[in-house]
Amino acid sequence: MLEKILSELQPTKTLLVAVSKTKSAETIREFYDAGQRDFGENYVQELTLKAAILPKDIRWHFIGHLQSNKVKSIAPFIHLIHTVDSLSLLAEIDKQARKYNRVINCLLQFKINEEETKSGLPESEIANFFDSEIFRQAKHVRLVGVMGMSTFTDDNNQITNEFRKLRSLFEMVRSKYYPDDEEFREISMGMSDDYKIAVKDGSTMVRVGSLLFGKR
Ligand SMILES: *Cc1c(COP(=O)(O)O)cnc(C)c1O
């Protein structure tokens, strides 16, 4: 399955983030031995335990809801945080990254779905976010793109519309706040059930779990 998905992502050079939450270190190791280096995790404690015993060249992506008081545990090593959706979280990541003399790459998570969840910045908050003093002062965080999750539905039209919405938010933020910045370029969208749709609509990284590892 790994080879099949990689070959599907090859034409668009979309990155595969293998979502290994709840899976054992041994299982991750098998995928590592097959060449996979980018892994996504949702829970801080689970991630830090795995990161401690697995090879150091794994690029760990944090894709779950991140509580501010847990940022310090992942700040020394995290490769990319996909789920920044508030200024208070941004400020905490900046503070912890500074301690380790790092600049941590992050994605701004937008709410594009109709789920009850509160995760994701609403579109109406974009100007507040970027015009804030907190954002301007956060020298140890680099925003490199956006992330979103579609509604859990089998209506492919709805999913397509939500991914297009995320892409248009990405383009709007890029043109307004990162006009000459090549590093602002990532659109993290697509999971096991909808990554093919996401790739058609411009995803640069898909987060695939159950299709690779089996159901949780
Ligand atoms: C669990 C999870 C995934 C992977 O979901 P699958 O349907 O197993 O591919 C992707 N993104 C996020 C944010 C997740 O929490």
Side-chain angles (χ1 to χ4, degrees):
M1 188 50 77
L2 178 63
E3 288 308 316
K4 178 175 172 285
I5 297 175
L6 286 174
S7 72
E8 287 167 355
L9 299 178
Q10 215 278 322
T12 48
K13 303 226 163 33
T14 307
L15 180 73
L16 175 63
V17 178
V19 176
S20 49
K21 63 181 176 220
T22 77
K23 300 298 167 183
S24 69
E26 293 73 52
T27 302
I28 296 173
R29 182 77 210 205
E30 286 167 25
F31 280 76
Y32 178 90
D33 289 339
Q36 181 66 23
R37 290 294 179 273
D38 292 89
F39 291 90
E41 291 280 342
N42 288 54
Y43 309 103
V44 167
Q45 196 185 0
E46 184 183 341
L47 168 56
T48 52
L49 289 170
K50 288 171 176 175
I53 57 173
L54 282 159
K56 296 300 165 210
D57 62 338
I58 287 181
R59 294 182 288 268
W60 293 105
H61 296 244
F62 194 82
I63 65 169
H65 177 67
L66 184 54
Q67 288 172 273
S68 289
N69 62 357
K70 303 240 169 107
V71 172
K72 56 178 172 301
S73 316
I74 61 171
F77 67 89
I78 198 73
H79 172 67
L80 180 64
I81 298 174
H82 290 229
T83 46
V84 172
D85 64 355
S86 71
L87 285 167
S88 57
L89 181 56
L90 183 90
E92 181 62 19
I93 297 170
D94 181 60
K95 177 177 157 195
Q96 298 300 333
R98 184 180 306 138
K99 280 192 196 160
Y100 295 98
N101 211 6
R102 297 189 68 204
V103 174
I104 297 181
N105 285 348
C106 294
L107 304 178
L108 188 56
Q109 181 179 2
F110 280 114
K111 179 160 165 58
I112 54 169
N113 59 42
E114 290 175 355
E115 314 279 354
E116 291 292 302
T117 156
K118 288 194 264 356
S119 297
L121 193 76
E123 182 179 358
S124 56
E125 290 293 315
I126 294 176
N128 269 347
F129 187 94
F130 285 98
D131 293 340
S132 68
E133 203 52 36
I134 290 177
F135 176 75
R136 262 195 287 270
Q137 298 292 330
K139 303 287 186 231
H140 291 261
V141 173
R142 185 190 296 120
L143 284 187
V144 296
V146 304
M147 178 272 207
M149 288 169 84
S150 65
T151 302
F152 185 70
T153 171
D154 41 25
D155 180 350
N156 285 351
N157 282 328
Q158 181 175 353
I159 294 171
T160 297
N161 286 337
E162 290 172 350
F163 286 156
R164 288 185 181 164
K165 174 81 197 168
L166 183 61
R167 187 177 176 166
S168 81
L169 288 169
F170 164 78
E171 277 161 7
M172 191 270 269
V173 169
R174 184 176 57 177
S175 67
K176 197 152 180 214
Y177 302 103
Y178 296 91
D180 301 308
D181 187 345
E182 304 259 302
E183 297 199 56
F184 190 86
R185 62 176 173 221
E186 306 294 352
I187 307 178
S188 169
M189 60 184 187
M191 311 184 5
S192 290
D193 289 337
D194 57 20
Y195 75 94
K196 289 183 188 170
I197 303 174
V199 167
K200 275 200 210 106
D201 283 301
S203 172
T204 66
M205 43 178 80
V206 292
R207 310 175 309 269
V208 177
S210 43
L211 197 60
L212 283 171
F213 295 104
K215 69 173 190 296
R216 288 178 292 274

